[in-house]
Amino acid sequence: MDMDSDAMGGDVAAASVADAEGWLVDWLRIDAGARAARPGWVHSSLAGLLLAHGRLFTPAPWPDGEQPPGEPGRCFIESVSWAWASGGDLVYVEGSAWDLAFPVEHAWCSTAGGTVRDLTWRRPGAAYLGLPVAGEEAGALMGEHGGPLLHGRGGLVSPVAESWMRGGVPAGLLVDVGRPLPASAG
């Protein structure tokens, strides 16, 4: 009986992640669909950019049951710092995470296997979708442009994201971690 309840609990957790990922992708699809096409632009919105190039990442609590070491509210700087300092063991990811009831602009680290290492949320999000960039490159871009890669102040799109929406993401910039979105998602 215990084994069946453990297996069922795992199935429920997997279904919850799949549901949350579906909600996050649907939210982005609705946002992207509401934006008018921009002639000459590769992507008309940040949501369109995330749907075209984003990857899904597997939520997980902080290893060994510890609390995440980062300062809440500082996800961008904490995540890029940890990714840069990891020597390639972690990748910086920026995008959207499904919190309790809606998506939030967020950054986290990922392992090579696509597992989230969220440095600033005490409880992992239900779903994570973002663009994975090597820590050194993310740090250089953030330093050059003075802020996160995708998210600007006051909910606006950052200058980096705007350039990627206009001309596309530079070849070779994204790291191959995480899971591709289902074909129907983009």
Side-chain angles (χ1 to χ4, degrees):
M1 182 82 166
D2 287 338
M3 186 164 35
D4 289 342
S5 64
D6 287 346
M8 188 166 43
D11 291 343
V12 169
S16 296
V17 169
D19 288 345
E21 287 177 349
W23 300 330
L24 182 52
V25 169
D26 286 348
W27 183 284
L28 292 169
R29 290 177 72 193
I30 290 167
D31 184 84
R35 311 281 177 177
R38 295 180 175 184
W41 286 46
V42 176
H43 307 286
S44 61
S45 67
L46 183 56
L49 176 71
L50 283 167
L51 289 169
H53 301 285
R55 308 282 288 206
L56 293 165
F57 295 85
T58 304
W62 195 255
D64 299 326
E66 299 291 323
Q67 286 295 313
E71 183 180 335
R74 297 180 43 91
C75 63
F76 303 107
I77 193 68
E78 293 280 3
S79 297
V80 76
S81 297
W82 274 71
W84 178 79
S86 76
D89 289 341
L90 297 173
V91 172
Y92 175 79
V93 187
E94 189 173 327
S96 295
W98 193 271
D99 195 14
L100 293 175
F102 53 88
V104 176
E105 299 169 348
H106 196 46
W108 60 93
C109 290
S110 173
T111 66
T115 300
V116 171
R117 292 292 177 252
D118 194 327
L119 289 133
T120 61
W121 284 3
R122 300 300 176 231
R123 176 192 40 76
Y128 292 80
L129 190 159
L131 301 180
V133 179
E136 301 80 21
E137 293 190 32
L141 284 167
M142 291 170 77
E144 180 181 334
H145 296 280
L149 300 179
L150 303 179
H151 305 292
R153 297 193 192 287
L156 299 175
V157 172
S158 77
V160 175
E162 184 177 331
S163 72
W164 294 351
M165 289 163 49
R166 284 181 190 262
V169 177
L173 180 68
L174 299 181
V175 178
D176 187 16
V177 297
R179 293 174 281 114
L181 274 64
S184 64

